[in-house]
Amino acid sequence: MRVILAEDSTLLREGLVRLLLEEGHEVPAAVGDGEALVAAVAEHRPDVVVADVRMPPTHTDEGLRAVLEIRRRHPGTRVLVLSQYVEKRYATELMTGDVDGVGYLLKDRVAQVADFLDALDRVGAGGAAFDPEVVRQLLARTTHADPLSRLTSREREVLDHMAQGLTNASTAERLHVSQSAVEKHVNAIFDKLGLLHVTGYSRRVLAVLRYLGS
């Protein structure tokens, strides 16, 4: 894949470039701020953008806003956001739109190289990859809306895994239950959330994340 990186930490940026090159990816540009990221994407049209959230000049949310701008200018551009924090406002905007080819990981995941590369592959293939902690925090902000409170603890676990972009088979493996049991939980979740007609892996994630924005 052709991957553009945006990370203001030179050490981390160079480390990620080296990792991606070793994995056989092409890195046409690696930049240190959001403005340069938008320009680099327009010039190189990469397969995937990997971007930090907090970058110069204010070190608040420049990277995430740049990613949203890229998705507006170049629909379908696949993006994997890395951050130390969950920027709820813009994360919700990113994750309640078209989530095909979208990921949001906390930087701790980068230390787990296999997880990072797996997430990058999923996003590059048009799937979704969301950090469990990101999902947990965004789910928490909607507890006042009540529908989630109708879920059992097991259904909530399954929902968390769905929102991370995992298939039923992967969820069953992680929860040590059968795939048919997961399918029953998924149907119960859709029933309780009024999403019975949502089908397909990415649509499931989209439905969950749309609910987060409600």
Side-chain angles (χ1 to χ4, degrees):
M1 288 186 294
R2 299 177 72 251
V3 182
I4 285 182
L5 290 170
E7 167 58 59
D8 64 313
S9 166
T10 302
L11 187 61
L12 181 54
R13 184 170 68 240
E14 293 303 318
L16 286 170
V17 169
R18 180 171 299 183
L19 172 64
L20 292 171
L21 293 176
E22 288 177 351
E23 291 296 320
H25 300 301
E26 181 183 347
V27 184
V31 301
D33 63 73
E35 184 176 346
L37 173 60
V38 173
V41 170
E43 179 180 357
H44 298 286
R45 303 303 297 268
D47 298 311
V48 181
V49 170
V50 177
D52 187 15
V53 169
R54 297 186 173 185
M55 290 193 289
T58 67
H59 295 279
T60 55
D61 51 24
E62 286 85 351
L64 195 46
R65 286 191 285 115
V67 163
L68 291 171
E69 179 65 22
I70 289 166
R71 296 275 287 184
R72 282 191 287 269
R73 292 189 184 186
H74 311 288
T77 301
R78 293 160 183 175
V79 297
L80 177 58
V81 173
L82 299 176
S83 179
Q84 296 281 11
Y85 314 95
V86 181
E87 300 290 345
K88 293 182 179 179
R89 175 184 174 188
Y90 291 110
T92 299
E93 183 176 347
L94 177 68
M95 296 163 68
T96 53
D98 179 1
V99 296
D100 290 343
V102 173
Y104 193 127
L105 297 182
L106 297 182
K107 281 188 175 178
D108 288 346
R109 297 285 171 178
V110 179
Q112 302 173 31
V113 174
D115 287 346
F116 168 69
L117 293 174
D118 175 67
L120 181 64
D121 287 343
R122 277 193 279 157
V123 169
F130 299 113
D131 192 285
E133 179 60 19
V134 174
V135 174
R136 188 192 67 77
Q137 291 194 31
L138 294 181
L139 283 171
R141 69 187 289 270
T142 65
T143 53
H144 65 282
D146 194 50
L148 279 176
S149 66
R150 299 176 58 199
L151 303 183
T152 66
S153 58
R154 178 59 88 185
E155 289 165 354
R156 183 179 288 271
E157 285 183 287
V158 172
L159 178 59
D160 284 346
H161 286 75
M162 286 168 54
Q164 292 169 45
L166 297 178
T167 63
N168 287 351
S170 297
T171 299
E173 183 177 353
R174 292 197 180 191
L175 296 180
H176 306 290
V177 299
S178 68
Q179 186 170 334
S180 63
V182 172
E183 291 169 353
K184 289 179 181 177
H185 289 310
V186 170
N187 287 332
I189 291 167
F190 287 161
D191 184 19
K192 292 178 179 179
L193 299 186
L195 301 170
L196 279 174
H197 300 295
V198 176
T199 58
Y201 165 73
S202 294
R203 292 176 186 273
R204 297 189 322 168
V205 177
L206 179 60
V208 172
L209 297 175
R210 279 179 177 167
Y211 173 72
L212 296 178
S214 66

